[in-house]
Amino acid sequence: MRGLMQDWPLLIHKAIDYAALQFGSREVVTRSVEGPIVRTTYGAIRGRALKGAQRLVRDGVKPGDRVATLAWNTWRHLEAWYAITGAGGVYHTVNPRLFPDQIVWIVNHAEDRVLMADLTFVPLLEKIADRLPTVERYVILTDAAHMPATGLRGAVDYESWIASADGDFRWVEVDERDAAGLCYTSGTTGDPKGVLYSHRSNLLHSLGCNTPDGLAIAARDAVLPVVPLFHANSWSLAFTCPMVGAKLVLPGSKLDGASLHELFETEEVTFTAGVPTVWIGLLAHMRSRGARFSTLKRLFVGGSAFPASLIAAFETEFGLSVSHAWGMTEMSPIGTFGAMKPAFASLSGEALWARKALQGYAPFGVDIKIVGDDGKPMPWDGAAFGRLLVAGFAVTKGYFKGAGGDVLDADGFFDTGDVATIDPDGYVRITDRSKDVIKSGGEWISSIDVENAAVGCPGVVEAAVIGVAHPKWTERPLLIVVPDKAKPPTREAVLDHLRPRIAKWWLPDDVQFVDEIPHTATGKISKLTLRERFKDYRLPG
Ligand code: AMP
């Protein structure tokens, strides 16, 4: 017998409909690409998104068509998402930090029909447009006054484009399982692969993550997502905030410590989320200016590991509560939260920060397991390293157009490509990407553990560990350090700092100092580039 409850569809436009009705005057504030701070409301955003959807339909966009966005976090980008999905289309977020050739590749693979871009990216698009045959129209996310003269096909400024619609429109009807968003993984090897979110997966992900031990965002919060709309769905914050009526503060293109701190203060931000490199920049700014946070309380970090020493710095010097999250594009993206289970509620000091430096435990809706090379589950003992596999309502079951073939195991789990331990309390510790694991004498060394420990050494700004070929041990770890120019540490000081903190045989065989560590388009340390750079390096002795 079937239940008799309504099949209320989990559609993205429901989030903005709700916000407009219940929180119509709640503000969305942007540091615009043009410069000034722009203030709008959820009510106005819904009205303009309806016009955008109407225009897309008039321009011939059909359900399932892809519309690309190449844009910073702004209110127009947010409206574009709701307009695209409200027209039945699929928002395809393009990461502007990719190389032009990669952008060409993914726009062609996605067969985007319309491309909406910030002013910032017009020169880039002009260089590549003749290689983007599927794009029929470029909508530049600005107004007529700022619109540059451009030969881009069908180019129109966003404000004039939506002004030609009256907004007398109903969202196009789609099924909750229909595609809503498309985001390509950075693909360090091989071609990028498209992750295709559905309306249902996006809304369930938002609901599943906004629990008291998860993001815990409430109507009274003012949220500044540094995590971009163009990468990993901005952690669903573009849906979660309207779904609860939180104020949104969007930083545009300025993500340096000073610009962010100014917005935190002027807009009374209470919650923020970003990747470690952004927080390292903010910390340096705060320290150098002796600055304080008046309203900011919670800082979420993910995308790469965040060492205990940095968590401690934000908590003790600046009074924030830092939460670690782990996830990936294929998981919409959140997979674990570093909340404290009751057994750890009274932890403080070093013990607390050490636990917070773990990636955390999976919330409801995310099933996890670690497996050995034979695919068999490994114990949750905090020691056994295994490949981390996941399943859930917001986890991918295959890539766009079948790229990569069948990606699930016999039980429907997706291989994250990460290597991890899980402790008896369910806390995950990501030790490496599987392709970055260092195998020494048949055992695995966790590069992330060594990096985290190294960053705690005075004078170390950033650290990366790679494996270097060794005649006896197969590979040995090499530590690469960006020193603080004002007080650079010596090689011995770094190794002495590490000795009591990691297993003896994990101690790097050498330390190399560099001016800068390369990062990928998504802000992660690029081990591939480092391995390339150090390919001729020979370990001492
Ligand atoms: P992306 O899909 O670009 O967001 O990259 C996902 C990958 O980033 C994961 O598979 C991890 O390797 C890494 N990652 C994300 N969050 C964390 C974290 N908190 N700690 C360590 N690695 C992380």
Side-chain angles (χ1 to χ4, degrees):
M1 185 163 58
R2 305 281 289 232
L4 284 173
M5 307 311 281
Q6 299 181 9
D7 290 319
W8 192 86
L10 295 170
L11 296 172
I12 282 174
H13 66 72
K14 299 267 193 192
I16 200 69
D17 286 349
Y18 173 83
L21 189 66
Q22 295 286 352
F23 295 93
S25 59
R26 195 80 169 115
E27 275 189 314
V28 175
V29 181
T30 303
R31 186 192 296 284
S32 67
V33 174
E34 293 85 353
I37 298 291
V38 174
R39 319 187 84 82
T40 182
T41 62
Y42 283 127
I45 285 185
R46 178 177 181 273
R48 285 157 53 89
L50 276 166
K51 290 183 176 188
Q54 192 177 14
R55 263 317 307 244
L56 284 169
V57 170
R58 198 190 297 165
D59 284 0
V61 167
K62 302 266 179 319
D65 283 350
R66 275 77 63 202
V67 175
T69 64
L70 185 65
W72 304 106
N73 286 5
T74 71
W75 87 102
R76 289 190 182 117
H77 195 175
L78 188 70
E79 286 172 4
W81 274 29
Y82 283 104
I84 295 163
T85 53
V90 178
Y91 62 85
H92 168 207
T93 49
V94 182
N95 184 339
R97 299 200 179 104
L98 294 173
F99 294 116
D101 282 350
Q102 293 172 305
I103 294 179
V104 169
W105 194 93
I106 65 172
V107 169
N108 284 327
H109 191 265
E111 300 174 72
D112 296 317
R113 294 190 57 194
V114 178
L115 197 157
M116 297 185 166
D118 273 333
L119 273 177
T120 330
F121 307 117
V122 171
L124 163 74
L125 288 171
E126 286 171 340
K127 286 201 193 90
I128 60 175
D130 60 352
R131 294 160 65 201
L132 305 177
T134 65
V135 179
E136 296 156 34
R137 180 190 271 289
Y138 292 84
V139 178
I140 308 305
L141 297 167
T142 189
D143 55 18
H146 292 88
M147 183 69 179
T150 173
L152 287 172
R153 202 173 306 123
V156 58
D157 75 86
Y158 175 83
E159 292 297 335
S160 306
W161 182 70
I162 59 167
S164 65
D166 60 12
D168 182 11
F169 183 76
R170 289 173 71 89
W171 305 118
V172 170
E173 267 185 49
V174 291
D175 186 89
E176 64 175 23
R177 287 184 176 76
D178 284 346
L182 176 65
C183 181
Y184 282 76
T185 57
S186 14
T188 38
T189 50
D191 291 328
K193 295 198 264 310
V195 178
L196 196 59
Y197 307 112
S198 66
H199 285 259
R200 177 187 146 87
S201 69
N202 273 339
L203 285 206
L204 284 176
H205 182 260
S206 296
L207 291 169
C209 289
N210 203 26
T211 58
D213 291 307
L215 297 173
I217 295 171
R220 62 183 172 278
D221 278 310
V223 174
L224 190 153
V226 184
V227 283
L229 291 164
F230 64 69
H231 176 227
N233 242 349
S234 71
W235 297 21
S236 278
L237 292 170
F239 313 123
T240 306
C241 293
M243 281 162 78
V244 298
K247 173 177 171 178
L248 255 179
V249 182
L250 301 170
S253 64
K254 298 227 161 68
L255 307 180
D256 59 283
S259 304
L260 289 176
H261 182 249
E262 184 185 86
L263 275 186
F264 289 147
E265 292 299 299
T266 53
E267 297 305 325
E268 301 184 345
V269 170
T270 58
F271 175 107
T272 189
V275 295
T277 42
V278 169
W279 300 145
I280 291 169
L282 177 67
L283 186 64
H285 168 79
M286 300 294 292
R287 282 174 170 164
S288 70
R289 298 298 157 94
R292 288 277 158 267
F293 297 116
S294 314
T295 54
L296 188 65
K297 295 278 175 294
R298 295 187 294 137
L299 181 144
F300 274 65
V301 58
S304 301
F306 203 56
S309 55
L310 291 176
I311 296 173
F314 276 107
E315 297 212 337
T316 55
E317 294 173 43
F318 298 102
L320 300 186
S321 168
V322 177
S323 301
H324 205 167
W326 162 86
M328 64 194 315
T329 309
E330 287 88 335
M331 301 182 74
S332 300
I334 297 176
T336 61
F337 281 114
M340 293 300 115
K341 289 188 177 180
F344 308 110
S346 57
L347 286 185
S348 62
E350 298 293 336
L352 174 66
W353 299 317
R355 186 142 291 268
K356 284 194 165 191
L358 301 176
Q359 277 67 24
Y361 63 93
F364 177 78
V366 181
D367 297 336
I368 56 171
K369 63 178 177 184
I370 44 173
V371 302
D373 286 338
D374 55 4
K376 295 226 172 72
M378 301 186 79
W380 289 23
D381 60 7
F385 288 44
R387 287 187 292 125
L388 181 58
L389 272 64
V390 293
F393 51 57
V395 176
T396 195
K397 62 179 175 190
Y399 291 103
F400 187 43
K401 296 184 177 172
D406 189 2
V407 296
L408 304 184
D409 76 359
D411 300 320
F413 279 69
F414 171 81
D415 190 334
T416 64
D418 285 337
V419 174
T421 65
I422 306 179
D423 74 11
D425 296 292
Y427 284 74
V428 170
R429 186 170 61 97
I430 303 290
T431 61
D432 263 304
R433 290 291 294 163
S434 55
K435 58 187 186 312
D436 296 333
V437 154
I438 301 168
K439 271 206 169 139
S440 182
E443 299 280 348
W444 287 357
I445 295 175
S446 161
S447 63
I448 295 182
D449 282 0
V450 182
E451 288 159 5
N452 283 351
V455 169
C457 174
V460 173
V461 176
E462 201 176 7
V465 175
I466 56 170
V468 175
H470 189 280
K472 179 164 174 205
W473 303 110
T474 319
E475 276 189 321
R476 287 296 301 156
L478 166 68
L479 175 63
I480 299 158
V481 162
V482 177
D484 181 345
K485 290 207 175 66
K487 40 179 184 324
T490 61
R491 175 183 184 278
E492 274 318 306
V494 177
L495 294 175
D496 285 346
H497 175 86
L498 289 178
R499 266 185 199 97
R501 291 176 169 83
I502 54 175
K504 200 170 160 205
W505 61 279
W506 285 20
L507 194 72
D509 282 26
D510 195 12
V511 184
Q512 290 281 305
F513 293 96
V514 295
D515 289 338
E516 208 185 328
I517 283 177
H519 290 92
T520 65
T522 56
K524 299 179 211 308
I525 292 175
S526 177
K527 300 256 168 121
L528 198 73
T529 316
L530 279 178
R531 280 193 289 264
E532 182 59 25
R533 191 178 291 175
F534 284 88
K535 71 177 188 306
D536 296 327
Y537 166 86
R538 293 286 167 268
L539 290 166

